[in-house]
Amino acid sequence: MSQVAGEAASRTAARRIRDWAESGVPALTGFPGGPTLVPPGVAATVAREHTARIATVTGGRVRLDGARMLTERAAFTRSTRGGTRSAGRACRLLPTADGWAAVTCARPDDPVLLAALTCQDAVDDPWPAVAQWLRTHTGAELAERAMLLGVAAGPLAPAPAEPPRPLLPRSVDGLRVVDFSALWAGPLCAHLLGLAGARVIKVETPTRPDGARRGAPDFYRLLHGGHESVVLDPGDPAQRRALRELVDSADIVIEASRPRALTRFGLDAQAFADAGGTWISITAHGRASDRIGFGDDIAATAGLVARAPDDTPLFVGDAIADPLTGLTAAVLAMSAPADGAGRLWDISMTAVVAATLDPGTTATVPIDEPYILAPARRAATGTAPDSGRDTSAVLAELGVRLG
């Protein structure tokens, strides 16, 4: 390596460490009570590049620090680093017969599903049986069973990154966004579009409200402040038609469902894009995959883990795939293909994380505590609407009657 190339590599490494340290992610990375660790990859740098692009597209209207946004949920929930347990404690890294795997138990039905995975009777604490089963089964066996059962789990292995696409920046000021997403990644995208001047209408169904409503209320308000809320039941023919009318009125649609769920709603993502709209589709592993996942297990299975001195994998940050994907989705929503056509963005959270990793940035670096910033909260603007608050007003505006 030439001296010039070596100096450039050193500057890149220094920037990576600085961006990680200022993000707050190292404060959530490592064993409890152990040293803080700077993770591999350049996710914090990528997050900062995304918010810099958003600032440019909005003419400086939206200025945020993407690196700091990777950890802001932990500031609301007061989560701490857990080593092989995620900051939220719902996901664990466990050894398999041929390596390591990430397994999430976050939903009420997950203990029953994990019992089915291990062929055991359901119990309140599924983890001992899961750990025992994994020690005698490979990561591939886990992935196959997890997909069949709808369990968020998989082996730690990198996924290919999506190739770059030629994009032009575009303003979203005044555009209508219909947001079907829940939890963190999709709502963060909608939040950023709202800050940039878009009108955001959140859509929920009566039986499946956003699970984040049960989480930290101030964090939910941060992501949904100033938005409108519509509740429609796609099982009712009149409300199903109203749902299609609402989507047809949108400039941008955000969803995080598997394609077959959209079909049941009577929605066609590709047709929407072909008609000139922007459809943001966020899934764990891409629209062609039936596997599910959440922020912690997705990041780990994509390869974004820190390593203890004995090579034990450790979680990085707090569900870091979620904010990283939300930032990526917002940048894509604020972009347009060079030909100005509509676009169906197939955003694989795994691919988003994997794109931040390369062989030159895979080292885990210990760092002294004084250089680490703790997760920080941003102030919410506006109030988050109660579920369904704006249904009648929005449908009246569209000229849609349910009765």
Side-chain angles (χ1 to χ4, degrees):
M1 180 183 293
S2 69
Q3 180 178 351
V4 173
E7 291 175 352
S10 296
R11 288 194 298 271
T12 299
R15 181 188 178 193
R16 176 177 77 89
I17 293 174
R18 181 206 69 200
D19 287 350
W20 274 125
E22 293 178 355
S23 73
V25 169
L28 300 173
T29 305
F31 285 111
T36 54
L37 302 173
V38 173
V42 293
T45 301
V46 169
R48 279 194 162 151
E49 290 171 350
H50 285 335
T51 47
R53 181 181 173 95
I54 290 170
T56 299
V57 171
T58 62
R61 178 176 180 176
V62 181
R63 291 188 179 275
L64 299 167
D65 185 340
R68 298 292 279 159
M69 293 174 70
L70 296 179
T71 57
E72 64 184 6
R73 185 179 72 168
F76 289 90
T77 60
R78 299 183 180 179
S79 298
T80 58
R81 61 181 178 268
T84 56
R85 299 187 182 190
S86 64
R89 302 302 192 264
C91 189
R92 299 191 185 190
L93 294 170
L94 298 167
T96 65
D98 60 349
W100 288 78
V103 181
T104 294
C105 183
R107 300 167 298 180
D109 292 341
D110 279 342
V112 175
L113 295 175
L114 289 174
L117 183 144
T118 60
C119 300
Q120 300 287 326
D121 293 332
V123 293
D124 291 338
D125 182 5
W127 290 113
V130 171
Q132 182 180 9
W133 186 87
L134 286 173
R135 282 194 291 269
T136 58
H137 292 79
T138 66
E141 290 175 294
L142 168 65
E144 182 179 5
R145 287 202 182 191
M147 183 178 67
L148 292 173
L149 293 167
V151 171
L156 271 59
E162 292 182 330
R165 304 176 175 95
L167 298 172
L168 297 174
R170 65 143 177 192
S171 171
V172 296
D173 193 10
L175 297 188
R176 175 176 292 189
V177 177
V178 172
D179 176 25
F180 290 96
S181 67
L183 300 180
W184 193 356
L188 175 58
C189 173
H191 164 66
L192 293 169
L193 297 182
L195 292 180
R199 176 186 178 185
V200 180
I201 301 172
K202 184 178 183 66
V203 181
E204 299 167 279
T205 67
T207 57
R208 296 196 67 178
D210 186 348
R213 288 185 179 275
R214 302 188 300 271
D218 288 344
F219 185 60
Y220 187 86
R221 180 187 169 205
L222 173 69
L223 295 186
H224 297 87
H227 297 179
E228 297 166 75
S229 174
V230 167
V231 171
L232 291 169
D233 182 0
D236 178 88
Q239 295 188 52
R240 187 184 179 99
R241 287 192 297 272
L243 192 63
R244 288 197 296 269
E245 292 280 352
L246 179 58
V247 168
D248 288 345
S249 76
D251 300 290
I252 300 171
V253 172
I254 304 169
E255 50 85 12
S257 304
R258 285 174 283 184
R260 67 170 182 262
L262 296 175
T263 302
R264 290 198 301 269
F265 286 9
L267 303 178
D268 188 331
Q270 189 60 61
F272 182 86
D274 290 344
T278 298
W279 191 287
I280 303 292
S281 175
I282 298 173
T283 56
H285 305 282
R287 289 172 63 83
S289 172
D290 254 350
R291 291 175 59 195
I292 70 166
F294 298 100
D296 287 305
D297 58 82
I298 289 169
T301 58
L304 181 52
V305 290
R307 293 283 175 175
D310 64 358
D311 208 38
T312 297
L314 308 173
F315 281 105
V316 169
D318 171 30
I320 194 169
D322 276 297
L324 192 58
T325 300
L327 286 164
T328 301
V331 167
L332 293 177
M334 294 185 194
S335 306
D339 60 4
R343 192 64 182 256
L344 167 55
W345 295 108
D346 182 0
I347 303 174
S348 159
M349 296 176 71
T350 304
V352 166
V353 174
T356 69
L357 300 169
D358 66 64
T361 62
T362 55
T364 298
V365 183
I367 189 167
D368 292 337
E369 293 280 354
Y371 296 97
I372 300 297
L373 295 182
R377 300 166 61 131
R378 281 185 296 130
T381 57
T383 58
D386 292 335
S387 186
R389 184 194 69 183
D390 305 293
T391 303
S392 297
V394 170
L395 295 187
E397 179 186 339
L398 296 173
V400 174
R401 286 188 174 185
L402 297 181

